[in-house]
Amino acid sequence: MSPHLWPYEAKLLGAAAAGIRSVAPGAVAETHISNSSSPTFATAFYQAMKDGAVGLDVAGFSFYPTATPAPNTRLKDLSDTVAAVHGQLGMPSFLAEVGYPAAPMSGTSYFSTWNGALASYPLTETGQHDLFHDLASWGATGALTGVRPWAPDVFVTDWAPMSFFSLPDGSVVGLARAGLDAIAQGTATPDANALKD
């Protein structure tokens, strides 16, 4: 990808960033790698963007740890990747998309198999809350500039377990799960050792 794709991607992203900054000079530019937690891949990609003069301020990542079957090392991989990107390129990181189910995924969509639970975070409402809390707590120590849950309000369809809301049988009104407050709670208690294997 380094010789054949990324230089052209850098031109496109660079033009987009320049266009945004032409009307908002202080804008922070970031893009993200979809569901990749490889230090080698991440540093190679973001180095290619730097070489292409994109001017990215933040290295973004998607993080859907249950998409990987057990044994699941996604938390360690994420931590190693964030450290590598910061250490080698001097870039802070941002979780641009994060999802963790409060119940096993099911249905007929692509997401129905995303049930590779992390050892310390079961596929329950408590497990969902605790993972988001611990990501935010770890991130608040300087590891991350932010954590953004993906589609936390989509409590229908096959994505429903990833939501911060549940839909009780027979109801048309979603009820908040504990995960809704987890990020605010985690950032209020920064802890570099918050992530559990």
Side-chain angles (χ1 to χ4, degrees):
M1 295 171 101
S2 293
H4 301 296
L5 178 63
W6 290 342
Y8 302 101
E9 185 173 354
K11 287 181 182 181
L12 290 170
L13 290 175
I20 291 167
R21 288 186 176 125
S22 72
V23 293
V28 173
E30 74 91 19
T31 190
H32 71 278
I33 300 172
S34 180
N35 220 20
S36 174
S37 295
S38 160
T40 303
F41 184 89
T43 53
F45 174 79
Y46 284 111
Q47 182 63 58
M49 296 304 105
K50 280 188 170 228
D51 293 346
V54 173
L56 292 176
D57 301 299
V58 181
F61 299 96
S62 292
F63 188 60
Y64 297 102
T66 58
T68 303
N72 197 326
T73 61
R74 294 299 299 271
L75 280 175
K76 182 180 181 331
D77 296 343
L78 174 68
S79 178
D80 291 349
T81 299
V82 167
V85 168
H86 186 261
Q88 294 177 37
L89 304 176
M91 295 178 75
S93 293
F94 171 64
L95 295 184
E97 294 183 23
V98 186
Y100 199 79
M105 301 291 281
S106 62
T108 59
S109 76
Y110 169 78
F111 309 111
S112 65
T113 61
W114 287 17
N115 287 309
L118 295 163
S120 296
Y121 304 95
L123 303 183
T124 63
E125 289 193 29
T126 299
Q128 181 190 58
H129 169 276
D130 291 352
L131 177 64
F132 275 95
H133 175 279
D134 293 353
L135 280 171
S137 180
W138 168 70
T141 64
L144 300 172
T145 61
V147 174
R148 182 177 69 191
W150 185 253
D153 55 339
V154 177
F155 54 84
V156 294
T157 73
D158 293 349
W159 190 257
M162 293 281 194
S163 176
F164 284 162
F165 298 88
S166 63
L167 187 64
D169 288 339
S171 178
V172 294
V173 178
L175 298 177
R177 291 180 171 143
L180 185 63
D181 296 323
I183 295 172
Q185 293 166 353
T187 56
T189 56
D191 180 357
N193 299 307
L195 297 179
K196 301 171 187 71
D197 288 335

